Amino acid sequence: MSKNKLYLFIIAACLTGFSYLFYSIHYSKSTSLSLCMVKNVTGYPCPSCGTTRAIQLLLKNNWMASLQMNPFGILVALLMVVLPLWIVSDTITKKETFFNNYQKAEAIIRTKKLAFFLIILVIFNWIWNIKKGL
């Protein structure tokens, strides 16, 4: 993926995430609509179910409840803040630090042992979400 496509994708994903977070905080209390296609089709939560609620708990400074809701929430919240700032910084300084680090991280994650470990973590989180009844 080219640098520009990656930067646009990350910015669009973060803006979408911020928009959904804003919507969920202000408007979704009156509806039981779930955007999770896995849960809507199967009735079971996906590995990322509860991430929005976990971020909302973080915004209320309730770290432990956020971690219990879905550990991915803390990671996603951190990425939603750091990545756009890093991309803006690269754009202003005309550097490619984010892109270069992304390529290095992607190469590391693609190693079989680490990829297997990360997949196992996602599966455990999925099982945990199902047992919690998200």
Side-chain angles (χ1 to χ4, degrees), residues 54-66:
I55 294 172
Q56 290 172 342
L57 289 165
L58 276 178
L59 292 174
K60 295 176 182 174
N61 205 27
N62 196 340
W63 291 81
M64 189 53 75
S66 173

Side-chain angles (χ1 to χ4, degrees), residues 1 3 7 10-12 14 19 23 26 30-32 66 68 72 84 99 102 110 112 116 124 131:
M1 181 180 297
K3 179 186 95 167
Y7 284 17
I10 298 290
I11 295 295
C14 288
S19 297
Y23 167 80
H26 295 289
S30 61
T31 180
S32 62
S66 173
Q68 290 171 342
F72 291 161
F99 186 65
Y102 170 82
R110 286 182 180 230
K112 288 182 182 180
F116 179 76
F124 280 147
K131 284 193 170 267

Side-chain angles (χ1 to χ4, degrees), residues 85-122:
L85 293 174
W86 193 353
I87 290 171
V88 168
S89 173
D90 267 6
T91 303
I92 291 170
T93 61
K94 298 187 185 328
K95 294 183 180 179
E96 295 184 351
T97 62
F98 176 77
F99 186 65
N100 293 335
N101 282 291
Y102 170 82
Q103 289 178 318
K104 289 176 189 174
E106 184 179 34
I108 292 169
I109 290 171
R110 286 182 180 230
T111 60
K112 288 182 182 180
K113 288 181 182 178
L114 183 57
F116 179 76
F117 176 73
L118 294 174
I119 290 167
I120 294 299
L121 282 178
V122 170

Side-chain angles (χ1 to χ4, degrees), residues 11-28 35 52 56 80:
I11 295 295
C14 288
L15 287 175
T16 302
F18 283 121
S19 297
Y20 182 68
L21 185 60
F22 177 81
Y23 167 80
S24 68
I25 289 170
H26 295 289
Y27 299 106
S28 71
L35 290 181
T52 302
Q56 290 172 342
M80 284 176 61

